[in-house]
């Protein structure tokens, strides 16, 4: 059920404002098409859009919803270890901001599997790459939780969303 029905008054924050419905709080920092590196360091083609180190103090979030990595996988030169390291660096940047400004929870998604164009081979390459990335990030995050006490909750959007990823 909804947060408002439970008595909460969420205030979404971020440098962007769009989406539907129009009577909903549409602030966010969901930069569509951006890679993990671009979220961390900014986009060369649009330097004025900023990066995480700019967005955090501008928005001062208490909770961060992070569904990241989809735009890395399958790109030319994709390196799972580098993308996982970028997610770790993003979490480091959040930790750095948190240490100076108060607690932040991160709700981190096992990212949604990209659509499979064919059923052959099973599982398709897109699913295999997504699962491998998700497993790599989940292992890194669990270490952060166990060793450093990071406040991260992993949610399963890969399998838990009950989405049929095969194109017909």
């Amino acid at each position: 059920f909804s947060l408002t029905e439970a008595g909460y008054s969420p205030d979404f924050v971020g440098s962007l404002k769009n989406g539907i419905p129009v009577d909903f709080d549409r602030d966010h920092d969901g930069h569509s098409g951006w890679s993990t590196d671009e979220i961390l360091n900014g986009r060369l083609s649009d330097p004025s859009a900023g990066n995480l180190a700019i967005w955090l103090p501008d928005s001062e979030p208490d909770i961060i919803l992070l569904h990241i990595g989809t735009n890395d996988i399958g790109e030319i030169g994709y390196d799972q270890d580098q993308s996982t390291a970028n997610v770790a660096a993003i979490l480091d940047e959040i930790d750095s901001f948190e240490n100076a400004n108060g607690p932040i929870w991160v709700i981190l998604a096992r990212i949604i599997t990209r659509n499979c164009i064919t059923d052959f081979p099973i599982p398709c390459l897109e699913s295999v790459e997504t699962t491998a990335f998700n497993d790599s990030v989940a292992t890194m995050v669990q270490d952060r939780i166990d060793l450093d006490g990071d406040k991260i909750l992993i949610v399963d959007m890969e399998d838990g969303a009950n989405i049929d990823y095969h194109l017909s």
Side-chain angles (χ1 to χ4, degrees):
F1 65 94
S2 83
L3 290 172
T4 53
E5 289 172 355
Y8 295 98
S9 299
D11 179 21
F12 290 87
V13 297
S15 63
L16 303 174
K17 184 177 190 121
N18 57 28
I20 52 175
V22 295
D23 63 342
F24 187 79
D25 185 346
R26 301 179 302 149
D27 299 320
H28 66 93
D29 261 317
H31 295 265
S32 180
W34 286 44
S35 67
T36 56
D37 178 67
E38 290 171 322
I39 295 296
L40 188 60
N41 299 306
R43 192 173 238 188
L44 292 177
S45 63
D46 190 9
S48 65
N51 60 45
L52 185 61
I54 293 169
W55 303 325
L56 284 170
D58 285 351
S59 299
E60 299 183 354
D62 298 318
I63 300 170
I64 294 175
L65 307 175
L66 194 58
H67 187 281
I68 194 163
T70 303
N71 295 316
D72 291 24
I73 299 173
E75 291 298 315
I76 295 171
Y78 167 68
D79 181 312
Q80 175 185 301
D81 292 337
Q82 183 59 56
S83 293
T84 301
N86 289 344
V87 174
I90 287 167
L91 295 171
D92 289 343
E93 186 70 37
I94 293 167
D95 284 349
S96 176
F97 180 78
E98 173 187 51
N99 290 338
N101 297 284
I104 299 174
W105 272 91
V106 175
I107 300 174
L108 179 68
R110 287 182 63 90
I111 63 172
I112 297 171
T113 298
R114 292 166 302 133
N115 286 334
C116 298
I117 296 170
T118 178
D119 284 332
F120 302 101
I122 296 174
C124 66
L125 180 60
E126 291 88 347
S127 293
V128 171
E129 288 177 327
T130 301
T131 298
F133 172 77
N134 282 336
D135 289 347
S136 177
V137 169
T139 298
M140 176 270 297
V141 166
Q142 193 60 55
D143 287 345
R144 293 177 74 102
I145 293 167
D146 294 343
L147 300 174
D148 302 325
D150 276 14
K151 294 180 288 301
I152 305 170
L153 174 64
I154 299 173
V155 295
D156 187 1
M157 295 301 295
E158 179 182 8
D159 297 311
N162 294 320
I163 297 171
D164 180 3
Y165 300 107
H166 294 86
L167 299 176
S168 33

